[in-house]
Amino acid sequence: MNLVQREIVKLRSSVLARNAGWMLAGQGTGVVLQVVYFVMLARLLGAMQYGIYVGAFAFTGLLAPYSSLGSGIILLRYVSAERKAFAVYWGNILISALCMSGVLIAALRYLAPRFLNPSSASLVILAAASNCLFAPLTEQTGRVFQCFEKMRVTVVLNLLTNLMRTLAVVGMLWRLHHATAWQWAVASTVVSAIAAVIAVGAVALVFGRPRFVPKLFLKHGLEGFGYSFASSTMSVSNDVDKTLLSHYGMNAANGIYTMAYRVVDMAMIPLNSIREAVLPRLFQHGRAGIADASVLSYRLLKRALPLSLLVAVSMFLAAPLIPRIAGSGFTESVVALRWLCLIPVFRCVHTMTGSVLTGAGLQSYRTVAQVTAAGLNLGLNLWAIPRFGWLGAAWVSLITDGTLCVLTWGILHGIVFKASYSER
C-alpha cells in the first residue's frame, strides 16, 4: 500500500469515526429526550390510558414500513455511488410517502375495529397519520443527509420529533396534570406534522428541489417493496405483541409491558448509532463483494458486542427504578424489564450482520430470516398472550430475537464461506 492509499484509508477512518461520534452524540441526546418523554407520558396517562394509546400506535406500526416503500434505502444505495441522481431519488421518496400513506391510513381505519379494542381503535386515524405519513417523511430526510455523510444534520432531524413530543408532553403535564389517550394522540400527531414540514424544508434548502419521475417509482417499486417487507417483519416482531394485548383488552398489561420494552428500545440507541453511521460505507463496500462488507461489520461488532452486554447488565440492575420514576402503576415493569434485558445482545448481532446482507445487495436472505422470526413471533404470541399476558409476550420476544440472531449470523457466515471457497 503506497503513501496515498494509506492517507486515503486514514481519512476514511477518521470520517467514519466522526460520523459515528455525531450519531452517538445525537443518540445520547435522544436517550435523554426519550427518558424524559416516556417518564412524563407515563405520568400524564397512567398505565391504563398509556396501554390504550400504545395499542393504536403499535397496530399502525405494523404497516408503517410500507409508507415510504423503501425509498430511503434506495436513495442510500444508488445516490451514495452517483450523487448527481439525488434530485430524482428525493422526488421518489416524496411520491412514495404521499401515495402510500393515503392507502395505508384508509386500510388501517378499516381494519382497526376488527383487531383492536374500541378504545384503541378510536385513535387509529391519528396514530396512522403520525406513523405512516409524518414520521416517515422526517426519517427519510435524515436518510438524505446520511447519504451525503452529513451526520450532524441527520442527528438534528432525528432528534426533532422527539424534542417536540417531549416539549408537548411536558407542557400538557404542567397544564393538565392528567390526560386521556385521545388528547395525547391529537397532540402527538400535530407535533409530528410540524417536524415533518421542517425536515422536508431543510432538504429543499440544502440540496434543492426534488424532481418527480414517476417511472422511477415503478422501476424500483419491487426492490422498495422488498426493503419495506423486510422492515415490516421487524415491526411484526416488535409490535404484534402489543397489538394482541390490545386485542384481548389487556390495556393495563399493555402499558406495563410497553414501558419495559421502551426502556429496551432506548438502551439500543448507542448500538443503533454505530450501525447507522456505518450504513453508507457498507453499501460502498458491498459493491466490491460481501467479504469486504463483512470484514468492516465484524470489526465493529467486536466493539459493539461488549457494549450490548454492559447495557443488558445495567438494565437488569436498574429495573427497580421504573416505578419510582414512572409511577407506582408500573411496578410490574421491573420484572418485565429483567426478562427483556438480553434483547440488546441479540439485536446487536442480528442488526449488524443483517446490515451487511443489505449493503451487499443480498436483502432477500435477510428477509427470509426476518420472515421466519416474524412468523415464529406471531404464532407463539397467539398461544402465549391469552394464557400468560405480558409475561408470555416477554418470553416470545426473547425467543424471537435470539432466533433471528442465530439465523442472520449463520446466513452471513455461510455466504462468506461459499464466496471464499469459490475463489480458491
Side-chain angles (χ1 to χ4, degrees), residues 9-209:
V9 169
K10 289 181 181 178
L11 178 61
R12 288 180 174 176
S13 299
S14 65
V15 170
L16 180 58
R18 186 168 64 250
N19 287 341
W22 274 114
M23 294 299 291
L24 185 58
Q27 299 285 6
T29 306
V31 169
V32 176
L33 287 175
Q34 287 196 37
V35 168
V36 175
Y37 167 66
F38 284 118
V39 168
M40 295 298 104
L41 185 60
R43 290 191 171 276
L44 179 69
L45 299 181
M48 181 68 72
Q49 291 295 315
Y50 185 58
I52 291 171
Y53 172 73
V54 163
F57 197 82
F59 177 65
T60 59
L62 296 175
L63 294 184
Y66 294 96
S67 58
S68 60
L69 211 61
S71 53
I73 298 295
I74 289 172
L75 181 143
L76 267 177
R77 182 178 182 187
Y78 293 100
V79 178
S80 293
E82 189 179 351
R83 301 295 175 87
K84 294 180 180 179
F86 159 75
V88 294
Y89 281 95
W90 170 232
N92 185 52
I93 286 177
L94 297 179
I95 291 174
S96 301
L98 294 175
C99 291
M100 294 302 299
S101 62
V103 174
L104 293 177
I105 291 171
L108 288 165
R109 177 65 185 90
Y110 173 77
L111 295 171
R114 294 159 176 78
F115 287 91
L116 301 178
N117 66 74
S119 298
S120 294
S122 66
L123 307 179
V124 159
I125 289 182
L126 291 170
S130 180
N131 245 359
C132 299
L133 176 59
F134 302 128
L137 273 176
T138 306
E139 179 184 356
Q140 302 316 317
T141 56
R143 293 289 189 195
V144 172
F145 288 98
Q146 182 184 5
C147 177
F148 289 90
E149 299 196 48
K150 295 181 180 293
M151 298 302 181
R152 181 166 25 180
V153 183
T154 301
V155 165
V156 172
L157 293 177
N158 287 344
L159 292 175
L160 187 58
T161 300
N162 283 337
L163 175 61
M164 297 185 70
R165 284 179 177 173
T166 302
L167 293 174
V169 73
V170 169
M172 290 179 69
L173 186 63
W174 175 56
R175 293 299 301 270
L176 302 178
H177 304 295
H178 181 74
T180 64
W182 170 264
Q183 290 172 313
W184 173 245
V186 172
S188 178
T189 303
V190 170
V191 298
S192 296
I194 295 171
V197 171
I198 293 173
V200 172
V203 173
L205 183 65
V206 176
F207 298 106
R209 297 179 180 179

Side-chain angles (χ1 to χ4, degrees), residues 335-411:
V335 180
L337 181 58
R338 283 181 165 171
W339 274 108
L340 296 172
C341 67
L342 281 176
I343 286 180
V345 179
F346 297 143
R347 287 188 180 176
C348 176
V349 175
H350 72 66
T351 57
M352 196 68 73
T353 53
S355 294
V356 175
L357 296 173
T358 300
L362 300 172
Q363 178 64 39
S364 59
Y365 289 92
R366 186 182 191 183
T367 300
V368 169
Q370 290 172 330
V371 168
T372 302
L376 179 67
N377 183 280
L378 178 59
L380 289 177
N381 270 315
L382 286 170
W383 172 81
I385 287 177
R387 291 168 176 78
F388 305 106
W390 65 258
L391 185 58
W395 294 339
V396 174
S397 291
L398 279 172
I399 293 170
T400 302
D401 276 284
T403 300
L404 188 56
C405 173
V406 172
L407 287 175
T408 54
W409 180 269
I411 290 171

Side-chain angles (χ1 to χ4, degrees), residues 297-306 348-349 352-353 409:
S297 175
Y298 292 150
R299 189 167 71 244
L300 292 168
L301 196 57
K302 287 180 181 178
R303 300 178 182 179
L305 197 54
C348 176
V349 175
M352 196 68 73
T353 53
W409 180 269

